[in-house]
Amino acid sequence: MSNRVLYFSRSGSCREIAKKIAKKLGCGTNEITDNVSWKGFFGFMKGGFYSLNQKITEVTLEDNYNVADAENIILVVPLWAGGTAPAGYSFLKKEISNINNLYMIICSDGTEATKAYGKLEEMVGPIKNKFGIISSKHNEDEIIKRVCNEVTEV
């Protein structure tokens, strides 16, 4: 069974979570990037605007990894302004039909991901395996363990 962890990260938090999951699963990671600068205050504000308005960005996957090559894709993205980061939903909109099994993790400082998943599913269809890491709840280790257990049970 092959697994791959993909992530988008503005601040580095999602990258660190992705690397922890990959280490536990013994698989590699690939970063999703887009054609937009999200740096600084204006990048932060632009990110909120893009997320609220579901603006699509042009995304690329590190090393041009083919998602169809993995049995399981674990996708780690941040929550921005009540939705996922634009690179996250843009990537899924582009690649969802090529993903065999998706395990998605939305990371936030304090907001539940329920509404973000609702918005995302309106764009890309149902997502079966949904998780939320909320730093204020200190649930990162618990969610990582659950995701890894579910991926290895398949």
Side-chain angles (χ1 to χ4, degrees), residues 47-138:
F49 175 80
Y50 271 51
S51 182
L52 283 170
N53 293 288
Q54 297 179 325
K55 291 182 67 83
I56 300 295
T57 59
E58 184 180 323
V59 292
T60 56
L61 189 52
E62 181 181 24
D63 299 328
N64 293 315
Y65 182 77
N66 181 358
V67 296
D69 290 344
E71 185 175 339
N72 300 304
I73 294 291
I74 301 91
L75 178 60
V76 183
V77 297
L79 182 75
W80 287 6
T84 58
Y89 60 73
S90 296
F91 172 78
L92 279 179
K93 196 159 176 68
K94 177 181 171 184
E95 294 286 352
I96 192 77
S97 63
N98 298 317
I99 296 173
N100 295 309
N101 296 304
L102 175 64
Y103 294 82
M104 182 149 184
I105 303 167
I106 297 177
C107 306
S108 76
D109 288 335
T111 305
E112 294 285 342
T114 309
K115 289 182 183 177
Y117 276 119
K119 290 165 105 177
L120 186 59
E121 289 177 320
E122 286 176 14
M123 292 179 81
V124 301
I127 297 171
K128 181 181 173 188
N129 304 296
K130 302 177 271 198
F131 303 88
I133 291 178
I134 304 170
S135 60
S136 65
K137 287 189 172 183
H138 308 288

